[in-house]
């Protein structure tokens, strides 16, 4: 067994925190990526049992608890982590990931060479022969990401979030889940009505994430989630830096709203502007950040935000998870409307779906497609579709599989299929949002922490009914709390997110790359896509149809990744 580790030191900067780390009894060796936020409480238990530690790191606390109770300690960990512990005596390897899968862990195994695992796919590519997994093309083009446990490489998998894997000579990795999000709905919820309790629970989640031996601050956009986290942080750490990025296009820019909030919080506020004419440079940086195809274009401003933050802090708190836990996405409203409409006769829904595109244009087309679905899960599936230019069967030659969700096989179907927030927690959150933030921050040596995804906080929120919040009542509670703390907060500003002018980029500075991605001779040699379908979509986009920008973006991302795998980019 060989273990290696490259450390971003946050706790215990001395050599006693170095990894791989050997237990005091000499039996176990550990590598840990991430942070254990409740390590001080766990350390108190060790002290009570007479166990002395050599340093002050969370890794040592984890390791010595493993000595005492083995894998039973893993569900008790609160934090973001991927870990590996080798039992020298038993010749047994334990792998584990945190509850929501904030930190990645990939593995591959075969009878001849044994087991390899790493926190990056690129690391595995150095030691094993990786081949494209064509069965994942439908999932990538549907969602813009590849749902775990699969990856773009055949035979390489991700250990699922909230899972433990056990491996020993002569047997395959045995994977079991110690926690899944559907457990959050195991009890009938009560209804929320107390801002004091919300504030108390959120303060606990923030306080857990303040342990650091390096500088700590927070991200700050114009929205309620990051503003509320920054508000609580600066109450606990007055003057803690806040970081914002803006855009040189006013329709996407939130600098003014963030600066207004920063003035109320009296923070050391740092701002960086994303220039839209930097498209090629930003795209190249984006493509080298992700080690498999990933088509969320907001990864570009996230990279800029991480780079800016790292110049001022080493740890940054953010508002990730606020929309999933408190029902902040517009699609939840769409989903619930469709869920109600499914009680209507199919003939009436079909009539409405024929009329709506005529009277309501593009939005009518979207509603019509939703009305034509057979179930809430099908509706959600359609809402999450990135590729709507053609059917996937028209795009992909010998379409090898259908895109699907994670989690349905592990939970009672009625709990999952009718709850879009829960589906997001099992899919969009771990496979898109958390991937985007983790890869961007790690690229720049920054650690990002997410109080809204504290598992105890999320459990509390589920118990109060926020995982099935109606008509915006979940986010309304957060806004009410923030207004109570800061009456000057601009609560009515529109939600922008990290939007980029993708149509303009694709038709301007990235046009030559799009054309290279859709080159007929290249497509025929590649043998993955229907040449005529791709050419037809590209022609429509360049003619006038900006609605096809994101399908074209996903094609460009995949083709650029594919060519880089071959040793060169589309711009060469």
């Amino acid at each position: 067994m060989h273990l290696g580790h490259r450390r971003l030191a946050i706790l215990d900067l001395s050599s006693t925190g170095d990894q791989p780390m050997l237990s005091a009894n000499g039996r176990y060796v550990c590598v840990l990526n991430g942070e254990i936020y409740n390590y001080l409480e766990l350390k108190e238990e060790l002290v009570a049992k007479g166990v002395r530690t050599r340093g002050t790191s969370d890794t040592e606390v984890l390791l010595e608890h493993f000595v005492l109770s083995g894998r039973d300690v893993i569900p008790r960990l609160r934090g973001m982590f991927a870990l590996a512990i080798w039992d020298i005596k038993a010749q047994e390897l334990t792998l584990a990931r945190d509850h929501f899968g904030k930190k990645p862990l990939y593995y591959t195994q075969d009878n001849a060479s044994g087991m390899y695992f790493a926190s990056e796919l690129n690391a595995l590519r150095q030691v094993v022969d990786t081949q494209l997994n064509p069965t994942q093309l439908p999932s990538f083009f549907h969602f813009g990401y590849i749902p775990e446990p699969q990856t773009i490489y055949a035979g390489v998998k991700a250990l699922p979030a909230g899972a433990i894997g056990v491996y020993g000579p002569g047997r395959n990795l045995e994977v079991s889940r110690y926690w899944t999000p559907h457990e959050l709905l195991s009890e009938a919820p009560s209804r929320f009505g107390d801002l004091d309790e919300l504030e108390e629970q959120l303060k606990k989640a923030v306080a857990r994430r303040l342990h650091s031996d390096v500088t700590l601050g927070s991200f700050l956009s114009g929205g309620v989630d990051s503003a509320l986290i920054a508000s609580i942080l600066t109450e606990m750490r007055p003057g803690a830096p806040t970081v914002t990025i803006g855009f040189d296009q006013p329709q996407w820019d939130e600098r003014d709203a963030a600066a207004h909030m920063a003035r109320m919080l009296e923070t050391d506020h740092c701002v960086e502007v994303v220039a839209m004419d930097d498209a090629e440079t930003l795209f190249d940086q984006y493509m080298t950040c992700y080690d498999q195809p990933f088509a969320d274009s907001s990864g570009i401003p996230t990279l800029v935000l991480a780079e800016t933050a790292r110049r001022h802090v080493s740890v940054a708190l953010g508002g990730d998870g606020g929309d999933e836990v408190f029902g902040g996405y517009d699609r939840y409203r769409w989903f619930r409307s469709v869920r109600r409409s499914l009680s209507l006769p199919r003939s009436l829904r079909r009539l409405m779906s024929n009329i709506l595109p005529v009277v309501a244009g593009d939005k009518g087309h979207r509603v019509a497609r939703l009305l034509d679905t057979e179930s809430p899960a099908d509706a959600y599936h359609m809402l999450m579709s990135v590729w709507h230019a053609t059917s996937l069967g028209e795009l992909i030659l010998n379409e090898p599989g259908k895109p699907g969700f994670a989690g349905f096989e592990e939970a009672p179907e009625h709990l999952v299929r009718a709850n879009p927030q829960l589906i997001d927690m099992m899919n969009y959150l771990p496979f898109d949002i958390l991937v985007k933030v983790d890869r961007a921050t790690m690229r720049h040596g920054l650690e990002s922490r997410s109080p809204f995804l504290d598992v105890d906080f999320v459990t509390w929120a589920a118990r109060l009914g926020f995982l099935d919040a109606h008509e915006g009542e979940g986010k309304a509670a957060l806004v009410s709390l923030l207004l109570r703390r800061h009456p000057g907060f601009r609560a009515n500003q529109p939600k922008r997110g990290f939007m980029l002018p993708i149509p303009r980029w694709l038709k301007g500075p990235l046009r030559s790359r799009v054309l290279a991605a859709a080159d007929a001779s290249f497509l025929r040699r590649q043998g993955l896509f229907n040449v005529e379908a791709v050419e037809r979509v590209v022609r429509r986009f360049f003619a006038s149809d900006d609605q096809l920008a994101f399908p074209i973006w996903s094609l460009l991302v995949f083709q650029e990744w594919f060519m880089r795998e071959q040793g060169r980019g589309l711009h060469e």
Side-chain angles (χ1 to χ4, degrees), residues 303-372:
L303 270 168
V304 177
L305 178 64
E307 182 179 18
T308 303
R310 186 62 185 87
R311 291 199 287 267
H312 305 277
V313 299
S314 296
V315 177
L317 274 61
D320 296 315
D323 284 320
E324 288 81 6
V325 177
F326 288 90
Y329 294 126
D330 285 343
R331 64 173 173 269
Y332 297 153
R333 177 170 51 84
W334 285 88
F335 180 90
R336 291 185 175 96
S337 296
V338 171
R339 189 169 61 186
R340 290 192 294 268
S341 76
L342 289 176
S343 61
L344 298 174
R346 178 66 189 272
S347 59
L348 178 58
R349 287 190 284 123
R350 184 165 291 163
L351 176 64
M352 293 168 63
S353 68
N354 290 332
I355 295 174
L356 279 168
V358 178
V359 300
D362 289 337
K363 185 174 288 188
H365 277 287
R366 188 181 189 192
V367 177
R369 292 196 303 271
L370 285 169
L371 286 171
D372 205 34

Side-chain angles (χ1 to χ4, degrees), residues 146-199:
I146 297 172
E148 295 177 357
Q150 304 302 322
T151 72
I152 194 62
Y153 298 116
V156 179
K157 292 188 175 183
L159 187 74
I164 296 172
V166 181
Y167 174 81
R171 70 178 196 263
N172 291 328
L173 185 74
E174 299 170 358
V175 177
S176 60
R177 302 294 289 269
Y178 66 83
W179 187 84
T180 58
H182 71 75
E183 295 178 21
L184 297 167
L185 300 185
S186 59
E187 301 177 14
S190 56
R191 301 312 298 175
F192 170 75
D194 191 344
L195 288 179
D196 291 336
E197 187 178 3
L198 171 59
E199 186 172 46

Side-chain angles (χ1 to χ4, degrees), residues 438-454:
D438 178 75
R439 305 311 187 270
T441 53
M442 288 294 97
R443 172 70 176 266
H444 294 290
L446 177 73
E447 181 169 288
S448 176
R449 299 177 177 179
S450 308
F452 282 117
L453 293 178
D454 181 283

Side-chain angles (χ1 to χ4, degrees), residues 319-443:
D320 296 315
D323 284 320
E324 288 81 6
V325 177
F326 288 90
Y329 294 126
D330 285 343
R331 64 173 173 269
Y332 297 153
R333 177 170 51 84
W334 285 88
F335 180 90
R336 291 185 175 96
S337 296
V338 171
R339 189 169 61 186
R340 290 192 294 268
S341 76
L342 289 176
S343 61
L344 298 174
R346 178 66 189 272
S347 59
L348 178 58
R349 287 190 284 123
R350 184 165 291 163
L351 176 64
M352 293 168 63
S353 68
N354 290 332
I355 295 174
L356 279 168
V358 178
V359 300
D362 289 337
K363 185 174 288 188
H365 277 287
R366 188 181 189 192
V367 177
R369 292 196 303 271
L370 285 169
L371 286 171
D372 205 34
T373 55
E374 297 290 340
S375 69
D378 290 339
Y380 182 89
H381 200 273
M382 195 279 289
L383 280 169
M384 298 302 290
S385 175
V386 173
W387 185 273
H388 51 77
T390 65
S391 71
L392 292 176
E394 290 179 89
L395 171 68
I396 301 169
L397 293 177
N398 304 313
E399 184 185 5
K402 300 292 185 181
F405 296 125
F408 288 161
E409 70 282 358
E410 300 163 342
E413 185 173 299
H414 69 279
L415 285 181
V416 181
R417 291 186 181 273
N419 190 309
Q421 289 170 253
L422 191 63
I423 301 174
D424 266 356
M425 284 191 179
M426 292 180 169
N427 294 270
Y428 178 68
L429 177 68
F431 308 151
D432 187 309
I433 298 296
L434 298 183
V435 168
K436 174 181 67 179
V437 174
D438 178 75
R439 305 311 187 270
T441 53
M442 288 294 97
R443 172 70 176 266

Side-chain angles (χ1 to χ4, degrees), residues 90-384:
Q91 293 287 285
E92 188 173 75
L93 175 69
T94 296
L95 304 176
R97 284 180 75 191
D98 63 77
H99 294 73
F100 286 105
K102 299 169 197 170
K103 287 297 178 182
L105 185 52
Y106 303 104
Y107 69 92
T108 184
Q109 57 185 334
D110 62 56
N111 295 331
S113 58
M115 157 77 75
Y116 294 93
F117 63 91
S119 58
E120 294 184 8
L121 286 171
N122 283 338
L124 291 179
R125 291 185 64 230
Q126 308 307 309
V127 293
V128 298
D129 181 28
T130 51
Q131 301 293 328
L132 175 72
N133 184 358
T135 66
Q136 295 310 304
L137 292 181
S139 289
F140 169 73
F141 280 96
H142 187 90
F143 300 116
Y145 57 78
I146 297 172
E148 295 177 357
Q150 304 302 322
T151 72
I152 194 62
Y153 298 116
V156 179
K157 292 188 175 183
L159 187 74
I164 296 172
V166 181
Y167 174 81
R171 70 178 196 263
N172 291 328
L173 185 74
E174 299 170 358
V175 177
S176 60
R177 302 294 289 269
Y178 66 83
W179 187 84
T180 58
H182 71 75
E183 295 178 21
L184 297 167
L185 300 185
S186 59
E187 301 177 14
S190 56
R191 301 312 298 175
F192 170 75
D194 191 344
L195 288 179
D196 291 336
E197 187 178 3
L198 171 59
E199 186 172 46
E200 177 188 356
Q201 293 296 329
L202 195 51
K203 282 184 174 180
K204 287 180 181 178
V206 171
R208 264 185 174 167
R209 285 155 178 78
L210 298 188
H211 301 302
S212 173
D213 293 332
V214 294
T215 53
L216 183 146
S218 70
F219 301 127
L220 182 62
S221 68
V224 61
D225 299 338
S226 65
L228 191 50
I229 296 301
S231 171
I232 294 173
L233 169 63
T234 53
E235 177 184 304
M236 297 177 176
R237 295 274 185 92
T242 51
V243 183
T244 295
I245 62 165
F247 299 93
D248 60 1
Q249 301 292 317
Q251 63 267 44
W252 297 293
D253 194 28
E254 293 187 309
R255 280 178 290 170
D256 181 61
H260 174 72
M261 191 70 207
R263 286 191 294 270
M264 287 192 289
L265 299 178
E266 299 181 346
T267 72
D268 177 13
H269 190 53
C270 316
V271 182
E272 185 83 11
V273 177
V274 178
M276 296 308 175
D277 57 3
D278 287 344
E280 285 206 89
T281 299
L282 292 170
F283 181 70
D284 283 331
Q285 291 173 353
Y286 169 81
M287 287 306 305
T288 58
C289 183
Y290 301 95
D291 45 12
Q292 64 177 336
F294 183 74
D296 186 342
S297 62
S298 66
I300 290 177
T302 303
L303 270 168
V304 177
L305 178 64
E307 182 179 18
T308 303
R310 186 62 185 87
R311 291 199 287 267
H312 305 277
V313 299
S314 296
V315 177
L317 274 61
D320 296 315
D323 284 320
E324 288 81 6
V325 177
F326 288 90
Y329 294 126
D330 285 343
R331 64 173 173 269
Y332 297 153
R333 177 170 51 84
W334 285 88
F335 180 90
R336 291 185 175 96
S337 296
V338 171
R339 189 169 61 186
R340 290 192 294 268
S341 76
L342 289 176
S343 61
L344 298 174
R346 178 66 189 272
S347 59
L348 178 58
R349 287 190 284 123
R350 184 165 291 163
L351 176 64
M352 293 168 63
S353 68
N354 290 332
I355 295 174
L356 279 168
V358 178
V359 300
D362 289 337
K363 185 174 288 188
H365 277 287
R366 188 181 189 192
V367 177
R369 292 196 303 271
L370 285 169
L371 286 171
D372 205 34
T373 55
E374 297 290 340
S375 69
D378 290 339
Y380 182 89
H381 200 273
M382 195 279 289
L383 280 169
M384 298 302 290

